Amino acid sequence: MGRGKIPIRRIENRTTRQVTFSKRRAGLLKKTHELSVLCDAQIGLIIFSNTGKMRQYCTEPLRMEQIIERYQKVTGTCIPEHDARREQIYGEIIMLRNETRRLQLSMQRYTGEDTSPLPYEDLDRLEQELESSINKVRDRKNELLHQQLDNLRRKERMLEEENSSMHAWIQENQAAIEYQQAAAMQAKVPFEHKQVVGQFPLYVEQPSSELQLAAIPPHIQSTYHLQLSQPNLQDYVSSLVPQD
């Protein structure tokens, strides 16, 4: 059973198309070499893939340029040596290089480098340009300083307004603050009295004698009726009182 014929048309599957191209390209190069050797033929073969890659074959010891030149002589065709588009691109590249070089020299002059070949007129013009640039820089600097000063003044006004509001609030609530302070002082005085009273072992009772009342501090006598609870001290006080 023989192989079926493959239709000669473009293979739609990309992978299959690439595999077929690689196989047939190798076969074509092999057949070209065999034809050149067996028949002593001068062959030049150039192949470009769909991705732009080039493969070529040339009969040794010739070069591809010799094959192409012979082809031109035989057919009478002439390939232009210089492409117009290429010449235009080269001209633009040269112009850009010259412009870049000129700008580099200008930058060196503005930094004070390589000014020896400049004549007086160019130096004077360069000085004027530098002074103009300095004035622009100073104007921009002053503008930024004014903006910062305005911001600081705005913040100052805001702080003054907050201070005024706080002062007004304190004035409005002064009575409440004084009342709280007075209440704190009143709460502190009984606490101090309790500390003084706690230093003596006392109990609340009517004094049994004037001597006992005289032994108590005056600021405590006005508030409390106290009597000493230590037996020894009472006996000592009783012994001092004259007996009838």
Side-chain angles (χ1 to χ4, degrees):
M1 183 176 180
R3 293 187 303 173
K5 290 186 177 181
I6 299 177
I8 306 302
R9 62 186 180 187
R10 183 178 183 272
I11 301 174
E12 298 298 333
N13 188 280
R14 183 177 180 180
T15 304
T16 306
R17 184 171 64 248
Q18 185 65 29
V19 172
T20 303
F21 173 78
S22 299
K23 290 182 179 180
R24 290 184 176 261
R25 180 190 59 191
L28 179 60
L29 293 174
K30 181 180 179 182
K31 294 296 183 182
T32 303
H33 176 68
E34 292 174 355
L35 179 61
S36 175
V37 173
L38 294 175
C39 302
D40 194 18
Q42 297 178 357
I43 304 174
L45 177 65
I46 301 175
I47 302 174
F48 288 96
S49 67
N50 59 350
T51 59
K53 294 182 179 181
M54 185 189 74
R55 292 292 299 273
Q56 64 179 5
Y57 174 83
C58 183
T59 303
E60 297 180 354
L62 299 177
R63 293 180 291 107
M64 185 61 70
E65 290 82 0
Q66 296 174 344
I67 297 293
I68 294 175
E69 184 178 0
R70 185 175 180 181
Y71 169 79
Q72 291 176 354
K73 291 179 179 179
V74 173
T75 59
T77 59
C78 181
I79 300 176
E81 295 181 358
H82 301 285
D83 189 5
R85 178 61 179 170
R86 183 177 299 176
E87 290 182 356
Q88 182 181 0
I89 293 174
Y90 285 158
E92 292 178 356
I93 292 174
I94 293 173
M95 182 182 65
L96 290 175
R97 286 178 179 174
N98 294 333
E99 183 68 17
T100 302
R101 179 60 180 171
R102 187 184 66 82
L103 292 175
Q104 289 177 352
L105 292 175
S106 300
M107 294 299 296
Q108 292 178 359
R109 293 172 182 175
Y110 281 115
T111 56
E113 301 176 1
D114 194 20
T115 57
S116 56
L118 294 177
Y120 177 82
E121 291 78 7
D122 293 343
L123 290 174
D124 185 61
R125 184 173 62 255
L126 179 61
E127 182 181 5
Q128 293 177 1
E129 291 176 356
L130 290 175
E131 288 180 355
S132 177
S133 300
I134 291 174
N135 292 331
K136 291 179 181 179
V137 172
R138 287 175 178 172
D139 292 340
R140 178 57 181 168
K141 182 180 177 181
N142 292 330
E143 183 181 355
L144 293 176
L145 289 176
H146 285 302
Q147 290 179 0
Q148 293 178 0
L149 183 60
D150 293 338
N151 293 332
L152 292 175
R153 288 175 178 173
R154 191 179 301 107
K155 290 180 180 180
E156 182 181 3
R157 288 195 298 269
M158 292 174 61
L159 292 175
E160 289 179 353
E161 292 177 357
E162 291 180 358
N163 190 14
S164 300
S165 300
M166 187 176 296
H167 181 71
W169 182 85
I170 292 174
Q171 293 295 332
E172 292 176 358
N173 297 272
Q174 185 68 30
I177 294 174
E178 292 178 355
Y179 175 77
Q180 292 178 358
Q181 292 178 352
M185 292 297 295
Q186 292 177 1
K188 185 178 180 181
V189 170
F191 180 74
E192 292 179 351
H193 287 176
K194 289 179 181 180
Q195 287 182 342
V196 173
V197 174
Q199 296 177 359
F200 301 95
L202 307 174
Y203 62 93
V204 179
E205 188 176 308
Q206 188 68 25
S208 59
S209 65
E210 295 180 357
L211 182 60
Q212 292 179 357
L213 183 61
I216 301 173
H219 66 277
I220 299 178
Q221 291 179 11
S222 61
T223 307
Y224 302 97
H225 297 286
L226 306 174
Q227 183 176 357
L228 298 175
S229 62
Q230 296 181 0
N232 297 331
L233 183 60
Q234 289 180 357
D235 296 339
Y236 176 73
V237 173
S238 300
S239 63
L240 296 178
V241 177
Q243 299 294 330
D244 293 335

